[in-house]
Amino acid sequence: MVKITFVDAAGQSRTVDAEEGSTVMEAAIRNDVPGIEAECGGACACATCHVYVDDAFMEKLPKAEPMEEDMLDFAYDVRPTSRLSCQIRVSAAIDGLVVHTPEQQG
Amino acid sequence: MTDIIKTDAVIVGAGPVGLFAVFELGLLDIKAHLIDILPKPGGQCAELYPEKPIYDIPAFPMVTGQGLVDNLMKQIEPFNPQFHYNEMVDSLEVLGTPQAPLFRLKTAGGDVFECKVVLIAAGGGSFQPKKPPVAGIEEFESKSVFYAVRKMETFRGKRVLIVGGGDSALDWTLNLAPIAERVTLMHRRDDFRAAPHSVNAMRELVAAGKMDLVIGQMTGLKGADGELSAVSVKGSDGAAFDIACDRMMPFFGLTMKLGPIADWGLNLHENLVPVDTEKFETNVPGVFAVGDINTYPGKLKLILSGFHEVALAAQKANRYIYPDKKVVFQYTTSSSSLQKKLGVA
């Protein structure tokens, strides 16, 4: 199991266990983490699982695919650290990952 | 005065479950009209994930969203369903009795339908434009902020800001550039999802000094009495500035909203319509809810569950529409009368 911490817009943090091979979005939904809607269920089709990746982990993650970049156009307050959590694959390499959920999902 | 369209059944929503309802109703000689807010059939399958694989449709180890829709369209062809696209059902009025239901539906565009049964197959609700979450935007909507163009003339001589990077944003940028006083296109990055030829055409206009391109994101609106004067922007370098404009059109894709269904006198539970599991009927006799929009103990939002639901709802609809007809259960494999309806006998 890999630990992932979600920090909401108010600063409250929740750490959950995520299975390797699943996605960060799935870890949020399975553990009822607020701030992640995932309206489309992980099809990279809605931009409602938008997160800001903590600076310390940006380089450990593979770059967003063009499809993810396109979907990020539909998110709000997109920053250089913005990602869609349904496209971040959980692996041992990102154990301890910290992501911040935005004030509002699309 | 619009002619009233009279039919047996109106299906609200042309997603996979609404489409298959045509089949199940059709086998029982029930004619159906479908109404959908999108310009094409397929609902979420066609709009959100046409290329994505689906693995849990029985007998299809894998089918894409669009592939499923195409097959359903072929399957229901013998029943000649009538489609009404780009329309949202606004109101539902009960004219009949619980024993002999009759309904009048009106669309936002003014079409009027009269039918004996209604199947609500509206999925997550109707697709509507996503609103940018900037404070006070409601005040400007339909006055100086628009999510669609109804009449291009209303943009003549105006300073128009278009926000987005997809086909809608680029198409309207190109269409309005010759009409507007000045068009500015804003997008969060200098990379566009829109068709390359539109992007090239836009870049040519920018190079010729005929329009402006701004890379940035909207942070606020300025103006009074619904009339916009400027949009506040955070540039790609983080710098804040204003873009002066009279009209703004944000194109941030679509989202699903329950919409007018909430006002049809149906019981609702967390934006879903409760139904029984024998007939998938709502609290209003003759109005059925099928697919993702309904709820009942054990409900799963699966396409295959929706297919089952329409088969049972159609049986009850049959009793409303043909109260005196003897109910004979038949298989398409062996029934010559069903095969005749399917055009294969």
Side-chain angles (χ1 to χ4, degrees), chain A residues 51-72:
Chain A
V51 294
Y52 304 116
V53 174
D54 201 83
D55 289 333
F57 287 88
M58 270 312 276
E59 288 185 2
K60 292 188 181 174
L61 297 180
K63 289 246 174 302
E65 298 280 332
M67 182 173 72
E68 183 184 343
E69 280 292 341
D70 282 355
M71 278 323 295
L72 274 169

Side-chain angles (χ1 to χ4, degrees), chain B residues 27 328-342 344-345:
Chain B
L27 288 180
V328 186
F329 182 69
Q330 304 175 89
Y331 291 103
T332 54
T333 316
S334 50
S335 157
S336 58
S337 86
L338 292 185
Q339 288 169 358
K340 213 166 165 184
K341 292 171 196 178
L342 290 166
V344 294

Side-chain angles (χ1 to χ4, degrees), chain B residues 261-280:
Chain B
I261 293 174
D263 306 319
W264 293 355
L266 303 172
N267 290 339
L268 290 178
H269 177 72
E270 291 177 352
N271 276 348
L272 297 168
V273 183
V275 290
D276 65 73
T277 50
E278 182 194 346
K279 312 176 299 284
F280 299 92

Side-chain angles (χ1 to χ4, degrees), chain B residues 46-317:
Chain B
E47 180 63 30
L48 292 183
Y49 48 90
E51 307 297 329
K52 299 273 160 64
I54 308 173
Y55 298 102
D56 61 353
I57 305 296
F60 280 99
M62 194 286 274
V63 63
T64 62
Q66 191 59 50
L68 181 73
V69 173
D70 292 345
N71 274 336
L72 283 164
M73 288 297 282
K74 199 172 162 204
Q75 193 168 19
I76 65 176
E77 220 173 56
F79 302 110
N80 190 28
Q82 303 298 303
F83 290 91
H84 305 266
Y85 296 121
N86 297 307
E87 277 291 358
M88 180 169 72
V89 181
D90 211 21
S91 66
L92 177 138
E93 196 186 333
V94 179
L95 304 178
T97 63
Q99 292 73 34
L102 187 66
F103 302 97
R104 182 178 293 150
L105 290 93
K106 288 185 184 154
T107 68
D111 286 348
V112 182
F113 294 82
E114 264 182 30
C115 59
K116 293 170 182 164
V117 297
V118 176
L119 275 81
I120 302 173
S126 55
F127 278 99
Q128 293 176 10
K130 241 185 208 183
K131 295 179 180 189
V134 285
I137 192 161
E138 294 80 10
E139 186 198 334
F140 298 98
E141 286 171 353
S142 328
K143 288 181 185 147
S144 55
V145 170
F146 298 90
Y147 300 99
V149 176
R150 293 218 188 278
K151 284 198 187 119
M152 284 188 21
E153 267 310 301
T154 58
F155 293 86
R156 181 173 296 278
K158 305 288 185 193
R159 297 167 301 168
V160 181
L161 174 65
I162 293 174
V163 189
D167 283 314
S168 305
L170 270 284
D171 289 351
W172 285 115
T173 296
L174 298 175
N175 286 333
L176 293 175
I179 293 173
E181 152 95 19
R182 188 80 181 166
V183 169
T184 304
L185 174 66
M186 177 163 74
H187 186 43
R188 73 169 182 97
R189 55 188 176 129
D190 198 7
D191 220 336
F192 295 83
R193 303 185 306 283
H197 65 88
S198 331
V199 177
N200 292 339
M202 178 272 293
R203 292 202 192 277
E204 278 167 24
L205 287 177
V206 173
K210 290 181 176 159
M211 61 164 283
D212 300 304
L213 172 64
V214 173
I215 307 303
Q217 297 179 68
M218 187 181 348
T219 55
L221 304 174
K222 290 182 177 169
D225 303 323
E227 289 298 331
L228 208 56
S229 60
V231 168
S232 305
V233 171
K234 186 173 82 174
S236 49
D237 55 359
F241 56 94
D242 285 354
I243 297 173
C245 58
D246 315 300
R247 297 283 181 268
M248 194 261 287
M249 303 185 60
F251 292 106
F252 287 112
L254 301 172
T255 184
M256 286 172 284
K257 291 263 188 308
L258 183 62
I261 293 174
D263 306 319
W264 293 355
L266 303 172
N267 290 339
L268 290 178
H269 177 72
E270 291 177 352
N271 276 348
L272 297 168
V273 183
V275 290
D276 65 73
T277 50
E278 182 194 346
K279 312 176 299 284
F280 299 92
E281 199 167 21
T282 68
N283 60 303
V284 179
V287 177
F288 302 83
V290 289
D292 282 2
I293 197 142
N294 74 14
T295 183
Y296 51 82
K299 168 70 181 179
L300 287 178
K301 287 189 182 186
L302 291 178
I303 293 171
L304 85 93
S305 303
F307 288 168
H308 160 77
E309 292 161 17
V310 294
L312 270 61
Q315 293 298 322
K316 178 64 182 179

